[in-house]
Amino acid sequence: MTVTAVTRIGSVSRWQPNARGRLRQAAFELYGEHGFDQTTVAQIAERAGLTERTFYRHFTDKREVVFSGEVQRVLVSTLADSPTGMTAMEAVTAALTAAGAVLDERRELTRRRQAVIAANPRLQQREQMKYATLAADMAEALRGRGVEPSSAQLAADAGVAVFRAAFERWIDEHEHRDFDRLVRATLDELAAVISG
Amino acid sequence: MTVTAVTRIGSVSRWQPNARGRLRQAAFELYGEHGFDQTTVAQIAERAGLTERTFYRHFTDKREVVFSGEVQRVLVSTLADSPTGMTAMEAVTAALTAAGAVLDERRELTRRRQAVIAANPRLQQREQMKYATLAADMAEALRGRGVEPSSAQLAADAGVAVFRAAFERWIDEHEHRDFDRLVRATLDELAAVISG
């Protein structure tokens, strides 16, 4: 278990092993049991066996547990750092593969997360906005690599479309293939649809 | 000039020639001059030389003037009614062409509309949500034509990406080509990006 946080209670210093992971686990349990709107930060901290102060050291609020943005950061940074010899779409594919490695490690938690979002219209709206921001950020990363603006936007939009379609398959409880394999199948399907 | 509305003031019945168009024109003038948030329905009606009652006969509120959804309706209905022999992407292209015919008739008004949206973060957010809804509605229309769900979603997402890219070019004041020509150029660019 990795040690990720130190909590100071009074003058006593205590290590909190993987506090962030425990808080996230507790939050998704409670969101699933009582609904997102009905869950408080106090309840999340209690379920995780931690203090509210520790919660706020890791997350701004209870919504940030759902939208931590880690997958988005991996997508955008991989895109920005991709070798210059790659075409825009090769760089997008590499970014989707890198994001898949993060996702595959937390498949059960992500399924739980999606169930929470599906049950709450405001969270769904927030997720839509995150995808719009992701497409804009990916386009910017591609422009930073010298890709012409309109091609950068189209490659980013295509990348987000493939991400979402692959994600929808991957999240299904009967689906066992890795994210990366689903990305490649979806890319082929998109190419066939476009040329069809 | 087309006659589109009748307003009753007391017992007197008066024809309002193109009331909807006059209200829209007045609204975008005022949104541009004072900002969207600062403009009231009373001011819009006054500028148009009409009553507030007439305004509310045409629009639910001042936001609906900006998001009337006419272009979206044309896109989705054209898609739903497209000949069964067409591939998903051919049907999407036909829908984009039909939407372009509506847009080309109101290029100046649409430019004014986009300037209003660009100046207001909440309207920008609303527009992002409209695009997400549009993609979902287009995918549903394609599924209704028998297109397999994941291909329907990918074709719809590709269609919205092309629409937005073509729209961004079309709205530029230095651009004089019709929407349809920009759609075809953008479709070619998307195909090149995907296969690149």
Side-chain angles (χ1 to χ4, degrees), chain B residues 4 8 14 77-78 82 102 110 132 146 181-183:
Chain B
T4 55
R8 288 176 187 281
R14 279 204 295 145
S77 64
T78 309
S82 58
V102 176
T110 307
R181 274 193 62 192
L182 295 167
V183 160

Side-chain angles (χ1 to χ4, degrees), chain A:
Chain A
M1 213 180 254
T2 38
V3 173
T4 55
V6 177
T7 307
R8 288 177 186 280
I9 296 169
S11 60
V12 186
S13 201
R14 278 204 296 144
W15 288 96
Q16 300 291 1
N18 193 21
R20 187 178 172 87
R22 279 160 63 192
L23 287 163
R24 184 154 47 199
Q25 184 76 28
F28 284 125
E29 280 175 23
L30 287 162
Y31 297 162
E33 291 166 19
H34 307 300
F36 176 80
D37 289 333
Q38 284 73 43
T39 301
T40 66
V41 167
Q43 290 167 333
I44 295 168
E46 192 192 348
R47 174 78 59 106
L50 296 164
T51 63
E52 283 189 62
R53 274 183 68 186
T54 304
F55 178 94
Y56 287 115
R57 203 164 290 132
H58 290 279
F59 302 100
T60 310
D61 53 30
K62 65 176 182 169
R63 199 175 70 170
E64 209 205 309
V65 184
V66 184
F67 299 103
S68 64
E70 284 164 59
V71 171
Q72 283 87 338
R73 274 192 293 277
V74 169
L75 275 166
V76 174
S77 64
T78 309
L79 210 46
D81 298 341
S82 58
T84 47
M86 281 186 174
T87 67
M89 211 58 205
E90 284 167 351
V92 166
T93 306
L96 294 173
T97 298
V102 177
L103 284 171
D104 286 329
E105 275 184 18
R106 49 172 87 161
R107 199 157 185 162
E108 265 320 297
L109 196 74
T110 308
R111 281 184 179 137
R112 200 171 274 192
R113 173 186 179 275
Q114 287 314 107
V116 170
I117 292 174
N120 188 305
R122 277 187 307 127
L123 295 181
Q124 284 168 42
Q125 193 163 342
R126 174 78 182 165
E127 177 148 271
Q128 293 293 355
M129 289 307 300
K130 290 284 269 191
Y131 277 123
T133 307
L134 173 62
D137 291 349
M138 286 173 71
E140 193 186 334
L142 285 168
R143 289 197 303 275
R145 292 177 73 256
V147 179
E148 192 268 320
S150 76
S151 293
Q153 190 62 58
L154 287 169
D157 287 346
V160 171
V162 167
F163 179 88
R164 298 185 70 166
F167 185 84
E168 195 147 313
R169 289 173 177 177
W170 179 83
I171 206 80
D172 186 288
E173 59 177 326
H174 301 296
E175 177 62 64
H176 299 290
R177 282 174 290 178
D178 283 350
F179 192 79
D180 189 41
R181 275 195 61 190
L182 295 166
V183 159
R184 282 168 201 283
T186 308
L187 274 166
D188 289 345
E189 189 177 356
L190 176 62
V193 162
I194 300 280
S195 65

Side-chain angles (χ1 to χ4, degrees), chain B residues 169-187:
Chain B
R169 289 174 177 176
W170 178 84
I171 206 79
D172 187 286
E173 58 178 326
H174 301 297
E175 177 62 64
H176 299 290
R177 283 174 288 178
D178 284 350
F179 193 79
D180 189 42
R181 274 193 62 192
L182 295 167
V183 160
R184 283 168 201 283
T186 308
L187 274 165

